[in-house]
Amino acid sequence: MNTTDPVTVFIIDGLKDRYMILFSIFLTIYILILCGNSMIMYVIRTDCRLNSPMYLYLHNLSFSDMVYTSVTIPNMLSGFLVEVKTISKTGCFVQMYFFLSMGITVRALLTVMAFDRYLAICHPLRYISIMTRKVCFLLIFLAWFFGWIIPVPSLILAVPLPFCGPNIVKHILCDHSSLVRLACTDITRNSAVALIFALIALIGTFLLILASYISIGKTIIRMGSAERLKALGTCGSHLIVVCISYVSASCVYISYRVTMFDSEVRLVFAVLYSVLTPLLNPFIYSLRNKELQDAFKRAFSRCNTASHTSKCVRKAVPSIS
């Protein structure tokens, strides 16, 4: 489709095979992501014992995971149900911004959580005085602000680009690199700016997390065996999530830079990158965190008690004949 008319609609040409089995799999994954992260948010908000800064950060991480996957998966699911998946030019840029923004916000929150673990393990006596409620909310705001502001330069440069055909986006959504390459003009500046800010977002947060864990490792080495196990249990869940997140991001980056990878393989990596961490986060934190497990038990116990009380009240009320 090569025309001289400006493009107003883009066609999302993601996974070409529209099998209902794929629709069912990704729908199930999406439901699990929403349910798992919603349960974590509910338990943290309702259980007064989960009032430490770590759980406040986990609450925000769960919320950002839900928003992040809601930008990608519903769009992909709708593509399985129609022959041609279209999206307006404005909608495409909005989706691109939120996809980039939420992905960066997740990494910023992981960085904040790494700093929190660093203070808790390396400076336990000063932790409460440093990590006050005000500091917690400031760090959360900075993480979200970092995610909001980093994609803005790429978006500002992409919006004025002329698109005169073809209008087929070779991705499951309006990804920046897949979108700007459709412009009928030179995109060297766009690619350079996008690469710089992507490196700031990915490498910058990774180095901060790495520095935190190097300090944590040095401190743990000097601990006794019991304290060492407790410290490892404290930061183990976060470290697993960080590894999964950055390894999957590296695989996506490599697949786009190495020409031997087929376009379909790249899309599979992109899909796994979008859903893997949000799907595994609730399970990792729930299985490895005893406080969270106990909070889940208390929540279910409250629900069972409320249900039993409601049934007893209904039985005690006499029927009016």
Side-chain angles (χ1 to χ4, degrees), residues 4 11 53 99 116 132 156 172 181 183 185 190 210 233 280 283:
T4 56
I11 298 173
F99 175 69
D116 176 73
T132 61
I156 292 175
I172 59 172
R181 68 176 52 146
T185 186
N190 296 74
L210 182 63
L280 295 179
F283 297 101

Side-chain angles (χ1 to χ4, degrees), residues 154-202:
S154 299
L155 180 68
I156 292 175
L157 290 176
V159 169
L161 289 175
F163 295 92
C164 47
N167 65 337
I168 300 176
V169 180
K170 299 288 186 179
H171 207 279
I172 59 172
L173 49 80
C174 291
D175 173 67
H176 178 268
S177 60
S178 302
L179 183 61
V180 297
R181 68 176 52 146
L182 298 178
C184 45
T185 186
D186 182 51
I187 58 168
T188 303
R189 186 174 61 169
N190 296 74
S191 301
V193 170
L195 179 61
I196 290 170
F197 281 93
L199 291 176
I200 292 173
L202 293 175

